[in-house]
Amino acid sequence: MATRRLPPLRSLEAFVRIVRLGSAKAAANELALSPSALSRRVTALEDFVGKKLFLRQHQAMKLTEDGQSLFDAVAPALDELAEKIGTHMGDSRLLRLRLAVMPLFAAQRLVPRMRELRRLYPALHIDMESSSHPVPRLGDTLDAAIILSDGPDPSLHMVQLDQNRVHAIASTELVAMLGDTPDPDLLAKQNFLVHSDMERSFEAWRKAAGLLPRHRPTVDHYDSGPLILEAAAQGLGVAIMHGDHLSRSNDARLAPLYDLEVESPYSYWFVCRPRALENRQVRIFHDWLVNAKL
């Protein structure tokens, strides 16, 4: 019986990465390829299957129906292949978890408890990164992630890790200047520091503080919680963050602004693909994290 030819694995990998990351540029960076090299791999796959997989529109690449069908068939098989190969690589006694986690959660809540995890499971090692949009890479280059989200994604296994309140945080000097009671006209003259992924937190806080649509304070966006805290400590503006970010920072330069009860639209969540829980390293970390109540 003749063996059926398979397409080049690198072409399949490039195809799946583009779809999951939603961008040819991001996929090229992830694979350390030039845009032209990535394009050649996709073209080779299209030539092999004899079908157009993407519609190319300027910088965007949109899946065709044939492309979507191929992705649905191939991506799970590649994930399974990667898992099986992983079990035969290196020292089988080591369990390695590829985890994405937001920097402030890692610094304030996860890393301080890692020695406890290591004592319980000395074979578990964690490759940790702080990528800003990890979900498309779950099941590919990441096993799991800890993210800020405003609600569950039915395609993922998600565990809510907290329920927080939104606080305004500023330097002690700025807090003293702004007083104990919100003054919308005075607040409208301030600069606010907001995480790029937490815009709704700022909207919730400004409503509670009495800022109207006519009040238009300036807003600087950051993609890093530690940078926001440091900018606030340096007097660059009022940071809109979760309350425990301040209490865990132990930074005497910072203080809460006003005593407002504002429920956050966002929580920290542990997320992974449902099938990832079949992997021992993911299951160990998942169960420890849920019970540890960081």
Side-chain angles (χ1 to χ4, degrees), residues 187-196 198-199 202-203 206 211 215-222 228 236-240:
L187 287 172
K189 299 175 183 177
Q190 305 308 309
N191 185 52
F192 285 83
L193 312 171
V194 179
H195 196 285
S196 306
M198 295 181 64
E199 194 71 41
F202 178 52
E203 293 305 317
R206 65 173 287 161
L211 274 75
H215 295 120
R216 298 182 179 274
T218 56
V219 178
D220 293 340
H221 291 90
Y222 290 70
I228 294 178
L236 298 181
V238 179
I240 301 298

Side-chain angles (χ1 to χ4, degrees), residues 4 7 96 143 195 222 261:
R4 182 172 293 182
R96 189 163 296 278
D143 298 311
H195 196 285
Y222 290 70
E261 291 287 320

Side-chain angles (χ1 to χ4, degrees), residues 11-282:
S11 293
L12 284 173
E13 180 184 36
F15 168 67
V16 170
R17 292 283 178 91
I18 292 172
V19 178
R20 283 182 167 159
L21 294 174
S23 160
K25 181 179 179 181
N29 290 337
E30 184 76 25
L31 294 168
L33 294 173
S34 67
S36 58
L38 183 75
S39 179
R40 286 195 294 272
R41 290 190 181 183
V42 173
T43 299
L45 182 60
E46 289 180 325
D47 291 343
F48 185 91
V49 299
K51 297 175 180 178
K52 206 71 173 172
L53 303 176
F54 291 102
L55 296 175
R56 294 164 175 81
Q57 300 170 336
H58 302 293
Q59 299 298 318
M61 297 180 71
K62 183 179 180 182
L63 275 177
T64 63
E65 288 187 11
D66 289 327
Q68 185 65 59
S69 177
L70 181 65
F71 176 79
D72 292 342
V74 165
L78 282 181
D79 291 342
E80 184 176 358
L81 177 63
E83 290 173 13
K84 290 184 181 299
I85 292 176
T87 63
H88 294 281
M89 290 179 63
D91 188 344
S92 61
R93 293 171 298 175
L94 287 181
L95 297 171
R96 189 163 296 278
L97 176 74
R98 302 166 300 170
L99 178 72
V101 57
M102 298 191 73
L104 211 51
F105 188 97
Q108 293 186 340
R109 299 169 65 170
L110 179 58
V111 172
R113 300 283 296 276
M114 290 286 285
R115 291 181 64 185
E116 170 192 327
L117 177 62
R118 180 61 58 84
R119 284 196 299 269
L120 291 170
Y121 303 101
L124 178 64
H125 289 257
I126 300 177
D127 292 334
M128 200 178 303
E129 62 174 74
S130 57
S131 53
S132 56
H133 298 289
V135 170
R137 295 169 52 208
L138 291 174
D140 185 8
T141 57
L142 290 172
D143 298 311
I146 296 173
I147 63 171
L148 270 174
S149 174
D150 56 1
D153 179 338
S155 70
L156 299 175
H157 173 78
M158 300 185 69
V159 178
Q160 189 172 10
L161 301 178
D162 65 8
Q163 179 58 59
N164 236 301
R165 297 189 185 280
V166 179
H167 286 242
I169 302 166
S171 66
T172 53
E173 294 85 358
L174 184 54
V175 168
M177 188 272 288
L178 291 173
D180 297 329
T181 305
D183 180 338
D185 291 324
L186 183 57
L187 287 172
K189 299 175 183 177
Q190 305 308 309
N191 185 52
F192 285 83
L193 312 171
V194 179
H195 196 285
S196 306
D197 295 330
M198 295 181 64
E199 194 71 41
R200 289 180 58 207
S201 289
F202 178 52
E203 293 305 317
W205 186 87
R206 65 173 287 161
K207 181 178 179 181
L211 274 75
L212 303 173
R214 66 179 175 84
H215 295 120
R216 298 182 179 274
T218 56
V219 178
D220 293 340
H221 291 90
Y222 290 70
D223 68 353
S224 165
L227 286 179
I228 294 178
L229 284 178
E230 183 59 30
Q234 295 292 341
L236 298 181
V238 179
I240 301 298
M241 304 192 73
H242 283 172
D244 70 340
H245 289 155
L246 173 61
S247 62
R248 293 173 188 270
S249 71
N250 296 313
D251 192 331
R253 299 172 299 169
L254 295 169
L257 179 63
Y258 311 137
D259 185 19
L260 299 176
E261 291 287 320
V262 184
E263 187 171 313
S264 174
Y266 304 98
S267 295
Y268 281 111
W269 297 76
F270 170 88
V271 299
C272 66
R273 301 286 176 193
R275 65 176 296 152
L277 292 171
E278 299 172 10
N279 297 335
R280 186 162 178 252
Q281 62 269 32
V282 178

